[in-house]
Structure formats: structure tokens, C-alpha cells
Amino acid sequence: MISLQSAYIGAAGMPGKTAFMAWKEIADAKKGETAFVSAGSGPVGQMVIQIAKADGMKVISSAGSDDKVEFLKELGADVAFNCECQETAFQENQR
């Protein structure tokens, strides 16, 4: 069982409120669209991934290690990648 103190550090606390308000009040995302969540393994990113999936979104997320990428997939991200070892199109164009 989760303690009340743990709940206020996570979903019911600052990370959960930040994720919820940003997603519901600012993102204006619609079912079927695609959302990109950078730093998806952080506390706010974790919540945004789950909220976006619950709203019927496709979610792409990045993290800084292979272990974190696996965690993002467990959270429900449709596509997850390690931003530390994969070049992006932007980086390729900067050469």
C-alpha cells in the first residue's frame, strides 16, 4: 500500500499537478495526435506519458539511458529512444 506521504510526492503532489495542468490547460492535444515528451523518465514526464496515453494519444519520448528507455516503454510510450546515443535529424544537418 502506498503511504499518503508518497502520494503527495508523486501523482498527487507537484509532479502530478504540473503534468496535469500543463497537459489539460496548455497542450490542447486531441485524441489521435502525437505527443513528444522529452525527459520522459522524470517525474513530470512519467505523468504526462500516462495522461497522454489515457487521452488516446500516440506518445514518443526520449531519455538518457537504455534502462530509462525500457522504463518509458513500460509506462506506455509507443516510441522511446536514447537521446544520448542516437543522432537526430537536426544533429545530422549540423555536420
Side-chain angles (χ1 to χ4, degrees):
M1 181 174 181
I2 236 177
S3 73
L4 190 54
Q5 290 174 333
S6 293
Y8 286 116
I9 293 172
M14 183 277 302
K17 288 181 181 180
T18 301
F20 183 83
M21 293 305 293
W23 187 255
K24 296 295 185 181
E25 299 294 324
I26 298 170
D28 193 34
K30 295 174 183 49
K31 184 176 183 174
E33 292 181 336
T34 302
F36 174 70
V37 181
S38 63
S41 61
V44 176
Q46 291 176 33
M47 296 299 299
V48 171
I49 289 170
Q50 294 175 76
I51 295 168
K53 289 303 294 180
D55 284 351
M57 305 284 296
K58 177 180 180 179
V59 176
I60 301 170
S61 188
S62 65
S65 74
D66 293 336
D67 290 339
K68 291 177 182 178
V69 167
E70 288 305 313
F71 178 63
L72 296 177
K73 292 177 183 176
E74 291 174 16
L75 286 176
D78 297 293
V79 177
F81 66 95
N82 184 339
C83 61
E84 297 295 325
C85 68
Q86 288 186 282
E87 275 195 1
T88 63
F90 176 77
Q91 290 167 322
E92 290 174 1
N93 291 333
Q94 295 302 308
R95 288 192 216 154

